[in-house]
Amino acid sequence: MTDSFFDFDAALPADEGPPHGLEEDEYDALNDETFGAETEWHEDEWENNHEQLAGHSGVTKSKESFLQQPDDDDEEGLVSGSAAAQLEARLSEIILDDESPSKHKANIAMPPGFWPPIPNLQQKQAARAAGNFPNANPPAIFNQLAAMGQHFPQQQQQPPPPRPTQMVTVRTVEDLERDLRAKSQAQLHQQQHRDGSPLHREGPKGPMDANQLIEMLRVMGTMPENRPQGPPQGHPNPDIVLRLAQNQGKPMMHQPPPPPNGAMMLPPGMRHPHPPPGMHHRLPMNMYPPNFPPHLRMRGEMPPMPWMNQPPMPMHMMHQPPPGMHPHHQAQMMSQQHHMMMQQHHQLQQQARQNGSHDPYAGLMTPKDKQWLINIQILQLNSQKPYVDDFYYTAFQFKKQRAKEKAGERGLRLQRREQRTLEPRAYTPAHFEGSLGKLQVVSVTAPRKIIDMEIMNSDSADAQTPVRDTRKVKQALLELERLYVLVLQLEDLEHPLPEAQQSVTECKEEIVSKILNTLIPAAGAEDKFPSLLSVRKGKVLLLRLFPHLLYSQQTPLWRSLLQNFWIISRKDMQDQVLFEMFPAFREWCAQAVLPNLVEVISVMLPQKSEANPSPSNITPRSPLPAALSNKFGVSIIASIINRAGELDDNSCPPKTHPDWQSWSQFVSTVAEVSCELAIEPSTPLDPLAKPNSLTRFVDNKQSQTLQRLLQIDNKHAA
Amino acid sequence: MNDGSNPTCPPGTATLLEELDKKLMVLLRDGRTLIGYLRSVDQFANLVLHRTIERIHVGKEYGDIERGVFIVRGENVVLLGEIDSEKEASLPLKEISVDDILAAQRREQEAKIMKEKIVSTALKDRGLNMSSELITDEF
């Protein structure tokens, strides 16, 4: 173990074992001498010794008695028994070790309890401190301070009894705080009766801990130096210091964001080589005249006072942040910044007032508040994929950039929004002392399922059918939404913006297959195609989908479309979207070979269904009549016939191909149906080009019908 | 020294910060119209209105009630707009006292209830049961 501490002998006395004359077994270390009745201290001896060394009188005794029992009899008759005296004694004890004006600059502002007590050191310090003031003035001053406005003259005549310094410093700070908190109310009443301090209106709002006291003392310490004509140290200094102490509470009132703290009166960062000579005319910022309008004061505004024109921060404190800076100080610095901003605001106000506009409540939201709000908004805009999350803004910026480039400027790249990210904080749920288990806490960053709630749909007996219909439509719409997302992804793959392409994770084939799985039913599965195509959205979906599909993929879709032509055409009366599909069909048809055509028209051929033997060739659900009565349908059929004619002309496949059989069947069916149609068939969009192809398949009469139907130009008639 | 000038919002965003310290008319979801100076907002568009008056409009007349400071929860605001001081000076409406306007409002409410009753009985006669829950008008 170290045997020296700052060159002081810190060696512990070695364990001696049994005292001289006693054997080991005869000697009992845990005996009465050590622990029992024999341990009564003979107060006088050590007290006198201590008094000599420490040189102060009566400070310590009251503290000690307070520690033991409040009702302890005071041996020396000096313990008043009142809380005030004890407080004052304790306070003086703190300060005694640390503070002396001449040592002000050298000392670091630590309360005595900060470092572990060192026996010899304390006494030496006390001796030093005491030595500088032979008339025991500091104790008197400190006593007054400690009293905080209580019984000033009385305390001066009651020097507190001496006490061992070591014991005191360990407990001083906590006890002091406790007591101060309890006393804040008492002080409030006390101070109102005092004459010398017109400025106080309320006591300190919060606990004033040792730090504040030390600051007070520092101020007090500097002041005497600059008051050459100042009155004797006794009276006014405590006044000012007390006011300072009181006013420390005020900044706390209008600082919502930083927690209420023992705000230092002045910015610690502000340094001044020496307190300016005129300092004593200036009082700290928070001195308000008694008739100050309270509501204005709440906002930190003040009517222009004569001393406001001087630099707002009276810097009469030289205070270097100590190396081991107390967390209080940091909070105080924040409050200083707020203070500074309030003053800037006040200056702005002055300017505005000079301009003539009178709005004393303007600017309640400081720029800092506004910036905070904007930061929240920016945070919400943060995104790694702006094309996905913020589509409209991104697309707009893209368009603007395109326009700019067209205009000739070589502009900057597409700029994203300003991004601000919170530092990711590990979520730790709140923890309360002494509670079993952890809390269920929910926040935006850490959501938890608190209530198990499911939405139950109530069944209503009435209006079933319309409900069912709407439900079907809604289901179709939902399905379409899903498909639309896939189609959008397909389109994004070809979008000029690289971000858009990157946003799609799957390849084209996968997406297409997903879509087709829904549109083209698997064997035995329910066909959703008619319901989807009944809605306008579905048709538009198909429209947008066709450019991305391979030829072979389109065929089944066309087939399905024709198969369900009844429903689709009926529902299309309002929408009229089918016509827009015609160009796509024409394109498809132009590349069709006979098998494709046959596949498509197969739905329109009479089917020999064993399950449903019907006398007529044409199944009741054959789409042909519907197709012929609808302009779109007629156009489809006409295009098909056209194409077949072309193929026939080119003889591919050769004429003996069995498909031509089905084709001829188809053509005759068409002719038959068109004859039987009750209503006048519509005209196709593309008139039939080569009528002679028809003659191979049908007899003349039918051919004529067809020609009439399909608006064949008679000039070309064979 | 104009330090700490107002920060600007990111482009393409909307903010209420530009409306601070302006005289605004705020329409609430319950139908009330408040006119006051907007002093503070937050991320939920909660509003702090200062020197607020509640203006009740009945027909071509209106009445003002002094209300002081209002804190309005953002979700209850339907819309708000700046008041043009010139246009306010030349309102085509007639201002009447608070008691008169409240009486007029009461009469208007009663008339509305009467009308609703007539409509609902007429519908009931025709077999349509219109309950008040189906009507979602807020005011």
Side-chain angles (χ1 to χ4, degrees):
Chain A
M1 302 299 281
T2 50
D3 288 320
S4 75
F5 190 95
F6 294 144
D7 297 328
F8 294 112
D9 177 23
L12 295 168
D15 187 19
E16 295 165 333
H20 181 68
L22 286 171
E23 295 298 322
E24 181 81 27
D25 42 4
E26 287 172 6
Y27 170 71
D28 174 22
L30 304 171
N31 59 7
D32 280 348
E33 275 182 341
T34 321
F35 293 95
E38 288 277 326
T39 57
E40 218 174 81
W41 289 8
H42 301 284
E43 314 263 1
D44 302 335
E45 300 165 356
W46 68 263
E47 269 190 12
N48 291 334
N49 290 339
H50 183 73
E51 235 181 271
Q52 270 179 335
L53 289 169
H56 61 277
S57 49
V59 180
T60 56
K61 181 57 183 173
S62 61
K63 164 79 177 180
E64 187 187 55
S65 58
F66 184 72
L67 290 173
Q68 290 167 2
Q69 284 298 327
D71 300 325
D72 230 349
D73 49 336
D74 41 26
E75 297 188 29
E76 294 184 296
L78 294 171
V79 176
S80 58
S82 72
Q86 289 160 3
L87 168 68
E88 150 264 309
R90 257 185 283 120
L91 278 171
S92 63
E93 193 46 44
I94 308 167
I95 298 148
L96 187 65
D97 295 328
D98 188 30
E99 211 38 54
S100 68
S102 61
K103 299 223 169 351
H104 161 66
K105 290 171 197 109
N107 269 0
I108 295 170
M110 285 293 143
F114 202 79
W115 302 112
I118 306 302
N120 297 330
L121 181 60
Q122 295 287 353
Q123 288 177 11
K124 301 242 167 147
Q125 267 191 346
R128 227 181 296 134
N132 286 334
F133 302 91
N135 52 354
N137 242 346
I141 295 166
F142 300 140
N143 290 348
Q144 291 159 11
L145 254 185
M148 307 266 277
Q150 289 172 5
H151 317 300
F152 251 51
Q154 306 157 18
Q155 297 304 336
Q156 263 174 330
Q157 289 139 23
Q158 278 188 11
R163 292 204 286 126
T165 343
Q166 314 169 17
M167 281 182 52
V168 173
T169 52
V170 174
R171 283 172 257 246
T172 331
V173 179
E174 297 89 348
D175 284 342
L176 181 63
E177 281 187 52
R178 206 188 311 137
D179 224 26
L180 278 168
R181 260 183 234 116
K183 290 177 109 10
S184 57
Q185 285 307 311
Q187 286 157 10
L188 186 65
H189 299 300
Q190 291 286 342
Q191 282 151 8
Q192 300 207 341
H193 301 305
R194 286 186 33 76
D195 8 317
S197 49
L199 294 176
H200 60 265
R201 289 174 71 96
E202 52 235 290
K205 281 294 176 200
M208 288 190 45
D209 58 359
N211 269 343
Q212 296 173 353
L213 280 168
I214 286 155
E215 295 318 318
M216 272 169 24
L217 289 164
R218 184 150 290 127
V219 172
M220 204 223 70
T222 57
M223 287 184 121
E225 291 176 358
N226 299 303
R227 280 173 159 265
Q229 303 102 17
Q233 282 184 353
H235 194 64
N237 280 356
D239 262 334
I240 294 170
V241 177
L242 276 168
R243 279 182 231 141
L244 296 177
Q246 295 154 28
N247 289 319
Q248 286 178 21
K250 291 199 175 69
M252 294 196 258
M253 297 193 315
H254 39 66
Q255 290 175 17
N261 50 36
M264 247 175 62
M265 292 164 290
L266 295 156
M270 302 272 187
R271 291 190 210 170
H272 209 84
H274 253 284
M279 181 219 53
H280 54 273
H281 293 305
R282 272 188 244 156
L283 298 170
M285 283 299 297
N286 300 320
M287 302 278 192
Y288 300 114
N291 56 350
F292 202 82
H295 63 279
L296 280 186
R297 177 155 53 93
M298 289 298 292
R299 281 303 318 161
E301 278 192 75
M302 296 159 254
M305 294 185 128
W307 40 271
M308 272 291 285
N309 296 330
Q310 292 154 2
M313 294 296 188
M315 310 182 242
H316 69 273
M317 292 264 302
M318 174 182 160
H319 173 56
Q320 207 160 357
M325 200 172 172
H326 205 273
H328 268 322
H329 291 196
Q330 287 160 355
Q332 289 161 7
M333 283 216 280
M334 262 189 63
S335 71
Q336 302 318 311
Q337 287 161 12
H338 190 85
H339 204 57
M340 268 189 280
M341 266 176 28
M342 281 186 334
Q343 288 170 333
Q344 283 161 3
H345 159 72
H346 177 75
Q347 283 167 347
L348 280 170
Q349 278 288 292
Q350 278 184 312
Q351 289 167 15
R353 216 170 281 127
Q354 285 154 17
N355 292 344
S357 62
H358 286 275
D359 195 2
Y361 293 91
L364 279 175
M365 267 190 105
T366 62
K368 194 173 170 201
D369 294 332
K370 294 180 189 172
Q371 187 61 51
W372 171 80
L373 193 59
I374 287 175
N375 283 351
I376 291 177
Q377 288 183 307
I378 290 174
L379 268 178
Q380 293 166 343
L381 292 175
N382 275 355
S383 160
Q384 297 305 316
K385 326 174 244 131
Y387 182 77
V388 177
D389 297 327
D390 203 1
F391 170 77
Y392 292 100
Y393 179 74
T394 315
F396 176 65
Q397 291 291 92
F398 185 63
K399 270 200 261 183
K400 264 200 336 194
Q401 194 201 12
R402 276 262 197 82
K404 239 196 204 174
E405 280 173 18
K406 269 201 185 140
E409 306 174 20
R410 192 65 209 152
L412 309 126
R413 261 213 76 238
L414 187 67
Q415 278 180 345
R416 289 195 184 186
R417 282 197 205 266
E418 184 187 347
Q419 303 237 331
R420 281 189 212 187
T421 44
L422 285 173
E423 290 167 21
R425 275 174 287 186
Y427 170 67
T428 50
H431 179 68
F432 290 103
E433 294 288 324
S435 68
L436 289 174
K438 303 203 190 284
L439 285 176
Q440 275 267 345
V441 175
V442 162
S443 76
V444 172
T445 50
R448 304 266 187 272
K449 190 177 185 195
I450 293 187
I451 301 175
D452 186 11
M453 195 174 88
E454 285 164 22
I455 302 169
M456 309 291 290
N457 281 327
S458 58
D459 288 313
S460 56
D462 53 307
Q464 278 281 7
T465 347
V467 170
R468 229 183 285 135
D469 275 348
T470 49
R471 195 148 42 95
K472 269 196 172 168
V473 168
K474 284 182 185 167
Q475 277 178 347
L477 286 173
L478 275 174
E479 189 66 39
L480 281 171
E481 284 300 318
R482 197 178 62 82
L483 290 173
Y484 259 99
V485 169
L486 295 169
V487 170
L488 281 172
Q489 283 184 343
L490 272 181
E491 287 177 355
D492 275 348
L493 280 173
E494 274 133 45
H495 198 277
L497 266 183
E499 289 181 34
Q501 290 182 9
Q502 288 160 20
S503 67
V504 186
T505 46
E506 296 148 345
C507 67
K508 185 171 178 176
E509 291 76 27
E510 288 174 16
I511 305 174
V512 169
S513 64
K514 272 193 206 169
I515 301 173
L516 291 178
N517 278 342
T518 318
L519 290 175
I520 304 162
E526 184 194 329
D527 189 9
K528 295 185 196 152
F529 197 86
S531 55
L532 293 178
L533 268 262
S534 311
V535 195
R536 185 175 194 277
K537 254 188 153 179
K539 288 176 265 209
V540 175
L541 175 80
L542 256 194
L543 258 179
R544 288 171 78 161
L545 180 60
F546 273 128
H548 302 278
L549 289 178
L550 298 172
Y551 185 84
S552 58
Q553 292 164 327
Q554 293 185 20
T555 316
L557 288 177
W558 289 119
R559 182 171 174 277
S560 198
L561 178 72
L562 279 174
Q563 189 172 20
N564 296 299
F565 206 83
W566 269 113
I567 309 169
I568 297 172
S569 64
R570 203 159 20 111
K571 296 277 174 80
D572 190 50
M573 301 305 279
Q574 272 190 329
D575 305 323
Q576 304 291 322
V577 183
L578 282 175
F579 289 116
E580 295 172 33
M581 288 208 248
F582 188 67
F585 184 79
R586 203 190 297 149
E587 209 180 294
W588 175 85
C589 203
Q591 298 172 25
V593 288
L594 195 58
N596 304 105
L597 292 177
V598 168
E599 188 187 337
V600 170
I601 60 165
S602 62
V603 295
M604 298 203 247
L605 290 174
Q607 292 159 17
K608 303 181 187 83
S609 56
E610 296 80 15
N612 188 11
S614 98
S616 73
N617 289 355
I618 303 161
T619 58
R621 296 298 226 108
S622 171
L624 210 44
L628 287 173
S629 43
N630 183 297
K631 189 164 176 121
F632 177 66
V634 167
S635 317
I636 286 186
I637 292 169
S639 325
I640 293 176
I641 294 178
N642 248 343
R643 179 67 186 155
E646 281 172 25
L647 287 171
D648 190 32
D649 283 347
N650 301 340
S651 290
C652 57
K655 295 196 194 327
T656 50
H657 202 273
D659 278 343
W660 288 115
Q661 297 273 343
S662 9
W663 176 249
S664 58
Q665 207 179 13
F666 169 66
V667 177
S668 57
T669 317
V670 170
E672 265 180 52
V673 170
S674 59
C675 294
E676 291 170 6
L677 270 184
I679 47 178
E680 185 68 25
S682 332
T683 54
L685 289 168
D686 278 351
L688 200 57
K690 293 187 181 177
N692 27 354
S693 59
L694 285 174
T695 54
R696 216 160 70 75
F697 305 107
V698 296
D699 59 21
N700 237 6
K701 177 166 174 272
Q702 285 179 332
S703 167
Q704 279 176 5
T705 323
L706 272 174
Q707 286 172 25
R708 194 182 57 237
L709 166 73
L710 302 167
Q711 287 228 321
I712 297 161
D713 199 345
N714 284 329
K715 252 195 272 179
H716 296 282
Chain B
M1 189 63 80
N2 200 5
D3 185 22
S5 54
N6 290 338
T8 50
C9 323
T13 56
T15 178
L16 282 173
L17 294 176
E18 291 157 20
E19 311 295 320
L20 284 180
D21 297 329
K22 288 189 187 159
K23 191 167 189 186
L24 299 178
M25 174 182 273
V26 180
L27 178 66
L28 302 180
R29 266 173 39 183
D30 62 357
R32 276 190 276 186
T33 309
L34 303 178
I35 298 173
Y37 291 89
L38 182 65
R39 291 301 176 196
S40 185
V41 286
D42 70 351
Q43 67 264 40
F44 308 108
N46 295 334
L47 314 172
V48 173
L49 293 172
H50 179 229
R51 294 201 201 117
T52 316
I53 51 168
E54 180 182 338
R55 184 164 285 182
I56 305 176
H57 288 269
V58 177
K60 286 215 179 258
E61 299 163 339
Y62 70 91
D64 289 345
I65 308 175
E66 297 278 329
R67 293 292 193 187
V69 176
F70 254 94
I71 294 180
V72 182
R73 192 179 164 96
E75 64 172 338
N76 294 307
V77 175
V78 173
L79 51 85
L80 54 87
E82 193 181 347
I83 284 193
D84 189 335
S85 46
E86 295 154 9
K87 288 197 180 157
E88 204 191 359
S90 58
L91 274 177
L93 309 170
K94 183 179 116 185
E95 176 164 12
I96 56 177
S97 77
V98 179
D99 299 323
D100 291 342
I101 197 71
L102 286 172
Q105 195 186 36
R106 210 178 311 123
R107 286 195 296 270
E108 193 188 39
Q109 273 298 103
E110 287 165 8
K112 202 192 263 187
I113 292 171
M114 292 285 295
K115 184 177 161 211
E116 212 179 285
K117 234 186 249 177
I118 296 170
V119 167
S120 75
T121 43
L123 285 172
K124 259 192 217 152
D125 290 342
R126 287 155 181 77
L128 199 68
N129 203 350
M130 175 93 87
S131 62
S132 58
E133 296 103 51
L134 293 176
I135 302 171
T136 53
D137 293 336
E138 299 243 348
F139 55 91

